[in-house]
Amino acid sequence: MRAAVFDSGIGGLTVVKSLVEHKLFDEIIYYGDTARVPYGPKDKNTIIRYSLEALEFFKNFDVDMLITACNSVSAHAIEELREVAPFPVVGVIEPGVLALEKKLLDKKSNILIIGTKATIESQKYQTLLHQRGYTNLIAKATPLFVPIVEEEIFDGEILEATMHHYFRDLSPHAVILGCTHFPLIANQISNYFNSKALLIHSGEAIVDHLENNYQIKSSQKEPILKLFASENPEKLKRVAAKWLSV
Ligand code: DGL
């Protein structure tokens, strides 16, 4: 099976990492819209337009499925993509909520949802969590983490100060990493909360979702990974080599 994976930039590589580790596909075609990242501050219509353009790109390949490894796209453009895509389109939000539900049984737990402005303002996580009975939600746009990760800053003073800026006074039982850039700083976020918070990662959640709902099983083979970017593909390849050891 051949999967297309789309993100606004390099962050979706965290989802690819999980897909590669679980060997769910024979081939993965990744497209990062690095020329126009970030999507998080953009409005719904722009995110839809960019996403439909990415879909056009994938039509050059005979893919079996599109994974939107971007929460901002999953929050705003999934229905529009599904309307026109000739293959299934899977987003990261529903899998994230299902992953949380599997692990967090107490519906009164304090849940912190972090993501881009676009993701948080879409209310998608909040609505799905409310529907499943979770009542104590704090949703916070944390867009500064995106350029920090894009700059490949994964620890140190800048990250500590930014976490303090967003997280002081919070002590959640669980944190939904509602942005595919954030797993790269997951350890630091976990440490900030003294390792007491359960962290939900889009990549791990989607692997579970694909196995359970699309009956996709491990092929036992290393998938072939093809990387494309709308700008500076060398950077994407360099970062992929570092994060994914490919
Ligand atoms: N990868 C995007 C997401 O998961 C965040 C980066 C952006 O703002 O484009 O929402």
Side-chain angles (χ1 to χ4, degrees):
M1 266 190 108
R2 185 181 288 134
V5 178
F6 167 49
D7 180 48
S8 56
I10 58 176
L13 290 174
T14 61
V15 171
V16 170
K17 189 172 169 61
S18 301
L19 297 175
V20 168
E21 280 170 3
H22 290 265
K23 301 187 173 81
L24 288 196
F25 296 99
D26 304 309
E27 193 171 321
I28 297 170
I29 317 277
Y30 182 92
Y31 174 64
D33 192 3
T34 47
R36 301 189 290 199
V37 70
Y39 281 14
K42 298 192 168 68
D43 70 15
K44 186 176 179 70
N45 286 339
T46 304
I47 296 173
I48 291 172
R49 181 158 51 89
Y50 289 175
S51 303
L52 293 176
E53 284 171 18
L55 180 64
E56 283 305 308
F57 170 80
F58 287 123
K59 285 186 181 160
N60 297 314
F61 304 89
D62 187 18
V63 304
D64 299 295
M65 167 176 286
L66 168 62
I67 296 168
T68 57
C70 176
N71 284 265
S72 308
V73 170
S74 304
H76 288 285
I78 199 106
E79 284 87 13
E80 288 75 7
L81 285 167
R82 283 182 179 148
E83 263 169 35
V84 291
F87 34 72
V89 180
V90 185
V92 283
I93 294 185
E94 205 192 342
V97 170
L98 296 176
L100 177 103
E101 199 176 25
K102 253 190 181 173
K103 293 182 180 157
L104 198 63
L105 301 177
D106 183 356
K107 303 273 167 165
K108 293 207 166 54
S109 309
N110 295 320
I111 301 166
L112 172 64
I113 308 150
I114 55 173
T116 64
K117 212 162 160 273
T119 299
I120 298 303
E121 286 179 359
S122 76
Q123 300 274 335
K124 285 276 160 71
Y125 275 110
Q126 297 91 310
T127 306
L128 285 176
L129 287 164
H130 274 136
Q131 283 169 357
R132 284 171 169 76
Y134 291 98
T135 47
N136 296 323
L137 310 180
I138 296 179
K140 211 169 180 109
T142 57
L144 287 174
F145 289 140
V146 175
I148 290 175
V149 168
E150 291 271 333
E151 273 301 309
E152 299 176 57
I153 296 171
F154 304 126
D155 49 28
E157 273 173 36
I158 293 173
L159 182 58
E160 289 299 327
T162 310
M163 288 195 293
H164 185 66
H165 172 71
Y166 288 133
F167 298 154
R168 62 171 177 265
D169 306 329
L170 298 176
S171 48
H173 297 113
V175 183
I176 295 189
L177 303 173
C179 172
T180 48
H181 285 62
F182 298 173
L184 290 157
I185 49 169
N187 286 342
Q188 285 66 29
I189 294 176
S190 178
N191 289 344
Y192 188 90
F193 294 119
N194 300 316
S195 310
K196 287 193 180 128
L198 165 74
L199 263 53
I200 299 293
H201 173 315
S202 297
E204 292 306 308
I206 210 156
V207 164
D208 217 35
H209 185 70
L210 292 171
E211 286 177 339
N212 294 328
N213 298 293
Y214 290 83
Q215 281 71 51
I216 297 175
K217 297 279 165 267
S218 167
S219 68
Q220 305 298 335
K221 275 194 310 194
E222 286 300 323
I224 298 164
L225 183 58
K226 293 186 177 158
L227 299 166
F228 299 90
S230 51
E231 185 178 87
N232 202 348
E234 292 70 31
K235 180 181 176 190
L236 179 72
K237 285 177 188 160
R238 188 173 50 73
V239 173
K242 209 153 114 190
W243 295 353
L244 310 175
S245 321
V246 289

